[in-house]
Amino acid sequence: MNSPHWLTKIRTLVLFTIMLISTFLLISWSSYEVARQSLNKEIEENTLPLTSDNVYSEIQQDLLKPIFISSLMAHDTFVRDWVLDHEKDPNAMIRYLNEIDNRFGTIFSFFVSDKTGQYYDPKRILETVSKNTQQDRWFYQVKSLPADQSYLIDVRLDPEDHTHLDVFVNHKVHDYQGNFIGVTGIGISVEKVKLLIEKYERRYNRTIYFVDKSGQVVLHGQSFQRAANIRQQPGLGPLTTAILTVPGGRYQYWAHDREVLLNTRLLPEFDWYLMVEQNHHPQERVLFITLLKNLGIGVVVSILFLFLLWLTIGKYHRRLEQMATTDNLTGIMNRQAFELQFLRLRSNALHQGKSATLAIIDIDHFKPINDFLGHSIGDLAIQHVARLIQTSLRYSDGLCRWGGDEFVILMPGCNNEQAQARMQTLSKLIEQSPLISGSKTIPVTISCGVAELQGKEGLKSLVNRADIALYRAKQQGRNRVVKEDE
């Protein structure tokens, strides 16, 4: 049982620990805020402009490579001569495209003939394009481009795998007289571009994404978790018009109580805007980690007193409580604890309108086991039976060592018949599980009496009725379960 003196000591220690943690938190947080404000001032006065120019240069270099390759293919004399020779050898074009992939490390190159409409890829003739097919509209859009525009970039489904999107660089091909004869180009996996973005995000500690002229986010890294259009993003929405009407600029806005620094650049080849954001200085994370470390030290020091108390007073308290409520031999409840649990279980059963049944169990022929095999074997038999009983219990059941070799089980939600059936199953389990001690195999059986709770009946009366049933079980030859009305 808890003593008031012990509880007072615990409350005092907990209060002292809270005071220590609060003081340490206040000091650490004040130091962190001073350092963070100094760092923010350094960002505003010394580290601007942002390093997004470097990001822009590297990303532009990676994304312009496919445009260069498609232009190289479009001006290749082999492609022109092959088309002008009436496409006699389709395998020659297939080999050429395969060589392009191998040489430049591209994932997908293609050529579409204006004369035949055939779509060639590095493996085969994929299909024949048609004006009446929605997915082939891109070809006729490229064909109708103005004379001063030689290529078109779009995002569409991969022709080999319609579950994936690719970025396509579609370049017009003309013969030697300037007549349109087809479209060639390169497909870039959207996932590959996303990996590039994530690489730059990790390198520069920035948030990087692309938007088109309507403000729609077209490409971003895996960590990007915002609205699909920058007009709908908190803090950034009011700046959208200004961002999309100039080739590039620097902006500041607030989102989720944090100031964000934004640098934009237009990639004219893609007609997309590169968005590079920084919402904290790299050193701010170091400051925060230092704060957490300091707080951690304070917490450890503060709770050390409570931990020491748990190892000393707490251990003895739990030991005393265990001795007061459990049976020393079996570890299950003793009679004192069971009497309290009986009152609680009886109250619950009455409140829920459910039945409850008590079973009293006695080990058969226990006295001869003690007399001829010794008390140590008798103790082992009691522990053996206790363990087997525990394996058959529900969470709501209550088990008690009533005294000697007797056990009592209270089963809420069970009537006489249900309890008898459960005890018969337990009886068979014990009969089939003899006690093995060294080289000895000792058969063990039980007799059991069952009685159902009647209203607000007391524990003594209920046990007496179950004990009468137990006596009948012994009279009938033991190793059996008898309920009170049999």
Side-chain angles (χ1 to χ4, degrees):
M1 299 296 289
N2 293 326
S3 68
H5 178 67
W6 190 86
L7 285 176
T8 300
K9 291 178 65 175
I10 288 295
R11 292 192 186 102
T12 302
L13 186 58
V14 170
L15 180 61
F16 184 61
T17 303
I18 293 174
M19 291 175 61
L20 281 176
I21 293 176
S22 300
T23 303
F24 210 92
L25 176 62
L26 181 61
I27 296 173
S28 299
W29 185 259
S30 298
S31 301
Y32 168 74
E33 279 297 315
V34 170
R36 191 178 68 85
Q37 290 175 12
S38 175
L39 185 61
N40 286 341
K41 186 176 181 181
E42 188 267 337
I43 292 173
E44 294 174 3
E45 296 180 357
N46 301 318
T47 64
L48 291 177
L50 299 173
T51 58
S52 60
D53 287 346
N54 292 335
V55 179
Y56 172 83
S57 299
E58 293 195 36
I59 287 184
Q60 188 183 47
Q61 181 180 357
D62 285 321
L63 294 181
L64 287 183
K65 182 180 177 181
I67 298 177
F68 167 77
I69 298 172
S70 65
S71 176
L72 188 69
M73 296 167 62
H75 293 88
D76 195 322
T77 56
F78 165 77
V79 176
R80 295 176 176 180
D81 292 342
W82 180 80
V83 175
L84 294 175
D85 195 28
H86 307 291
E87 309 174 29
K88 289 181 180 179
D89 184 7
N91 288 327
M93 176 55 70
I94 293 172
R95 288 194 298 271
Y96 170 79
L97 295 174
N98 189 59
E99 182 64 24
I100 290 292
D101 284 348
N102 292 335
R103 179 180 176 185
F104 295 104
T106 55
I107 64 166
F108 186 83
S109 58
F110 64 91
F111 173 77
V112 181
S113 170
D114 182 52
K115 182 178 181 180
T116 63
Q118 290 184 328
Y119 191 132
Y120 296 86
D121 74 2
K123 296 181 181 178
R124 62 189 183 281
I125 299 174
L126 191 61
E127 60 181 1
T128 301
V129 298
S130 170
K131 289 184 178 181
N132 300 323
T133 304
Q134 180 70 21
Q135 67 181 24
D136 295 334
R137 288 183 58 190
W138 66 270
F139 175 79
Y140 300 97
Q141 289 175 348
V142 177
K143 182 177 179 179
S144 62
L145 288 175
D148 61 345
Q149 187 176 348
S150 57
Y151 65 89
L152 176 69
I153 297 174
D154 67 338
V155 179
R156 63 178 185 269
L157 292 175
D158 188 318
E160 295 281 359
D161 185 355
H162 288 181
T163 63
H164 288 80
L165 288 174
D166 288 337
V167 179
F168 287 89
V169 181
N170 313 293
H171 205 292
K172 292 190 293 185
V173 182
H174 296 93
D175 62 15
Y176 298 106
Q177 285 74 41
N179 300 312
F180 177 79
I181 59 175
V183 176
T184 190
I186 299 296
I188 315 167
S189 170
V190 167
E191 294 302 320
K192 182 178 180 181
V193 180
K194 288 182 178 180
L195 290 176
L196 286 175
I197 293 173
E198 291 170 5
K199 180 182 74 173
Y200 299 133
E201 286 183 330
R202 290 191 298 270
R203 180 186 300 173
Y204 295 104
N205 193 29
R206 306 289 191 269
T207 299
I208 302 172
Y209 55 100
F210 290 91
V211 301
D212 61 19
K213 284 294 187 68
S214 68
Q216 192 74 12
V217 179
V218 290
L219 286 175
H220 56 77
Q222 188 174 4
S223 61
F224 189 88
Q225 300 288 338
R226 303 191 200 169
N229 195 295
I230 60 174
R231 298 181 188 275
Q232 301 168 351
Q233 293 182 16
L236 190 55
L239 300 175
T240 301
T241 302
I243 292 172
L244 301 179
T245 53
V246 295
R250 296 190 180 100
Y251 308 89
Q252 294 180 352
Y253 69 93
W254 285 84
H256 307 296
D257 298 325
R258 295 198 68 119
E259 185 181 26
V260 180
L261 304 177
L262 169 65
N263 189 274
T264 67
R265 291 289 294 270
L266 176 66
L267 274 70
E269 298 85 2
F270 282 77
D271 215 18
W272 292 346
Y273 282 90
L274 170 65
M275 313 281 283
V276 181
E277 295 181 350
Q278 176 182 348
N279 59 10
H280 60 84
H281 193 280
Q283 291 299 317
E284 190 172 338
R285 178 174 176 82
V286 176
L287 288 178
F288 187 71
I289 291 175
T290 303
L291 170 66
L292 293 181
K293 289 180 178 179
N294 291 338
L295 291 177
I297 293 172
V299 170
V300 170
V301 171
S302 299
I303 66 175
L304 182 61
F305 298 101
L306 188 60
F307 179 69
L308 292 175
L309 180 63
W310 180 262
L311 292 180
T312 54
I313 301 176
K315 182 174 68 174
Y316 290 111
H317 172 75
R318 288 192 300 273
R319 179 61 178 165
L320 290 173
E321 188 178 58
Q322 183 180 20
M323 291 175 62
T325 59
T326 60
D327 173 60
N328 186 50
L329 179 63
T330 61
I332 62 178
M333 277 190 293
N334 59 21
R335 289 181 67 163
Q336 180 182 0
F338 183 78
E339 288 173 357
L340 295 175
Q341 189 179 44
F342 170 80
L343 297 175
R344 180 177 59 81
L345 293 177
R346 184 185 67 178
S347 176
N348 291 341
L350 290 173
H351 179 71
Q352 298 173 6
K354 295 182 179 180
S355 57
T357 302
L358 182 136
I360 185 166
I361 296 172
D362 185 81
I363 300 176
D364 292 333
H365 306 296
F366 181 72
K367 190 174 185 305
I369 294 177
N370 260 342
D371 292 344
F372 296 106
L373 299 178
H375 288 282
S376 61
I377 299 298
D379 289 345
L380 289 177
I382 292 174
Q383 293 172 333
H384 175 69
V385 171
R387 283 193 296 269
L388 292 176
I389 294 175
Q390 286 177 299
T391 63
S392 69
L393 294 183
R394 303 171 304 176
Y395 178 78
S396 59
D397 294 338
L399 172 63
C400 160
R401 183 184 177 196
W402 197 245
D405 62 321
E406 285 189 336
F407 300 89
V408 168
I409 305 175
L410 184 62
M411 294 169 279
C414 285
N415 57 29
N416 260 337
E417 288 72 20
Q418 293 168 333
Q420 185 181 35
R422 286 185 59 190
M423 292 301 101
Q424 286 172 340
T425 301
L426 173 62
S427 176
K428 291 178 182 178
L429 172 64
I430 294 174
E431 183 180 11
Q432 295 168 4
S433 307
L435 171 64
I436 299 175
S437 176
S439 60
K440 298 178 182 178
T441 299
I442 306 165
V444 179
T445 61
I446 62 169
S447 297
C448 178
V450 175
E452 187 173 341
L453 178 67
Q454 297 177 355
K456 295 184 178 181
E457 180 182 19
L459 178 60
K460 182 178 179 180
S461 172
L462 181 60
V463 170
N464 286 339
R465 291 193 292 111
D467 200 37
I468 293 173
L470 172 64
Y471 179 74
R472 292 175 184 166
K474 292 180 178 180
Q475 282 186 323
Q476 295 174 17
R478 303 179 187 271
N479 191 21
R480 66 189 64 245
V481 179
V482 175
K483 61 179 187 292
E484 58 179 329
D485 55 355
E486 288 184 330

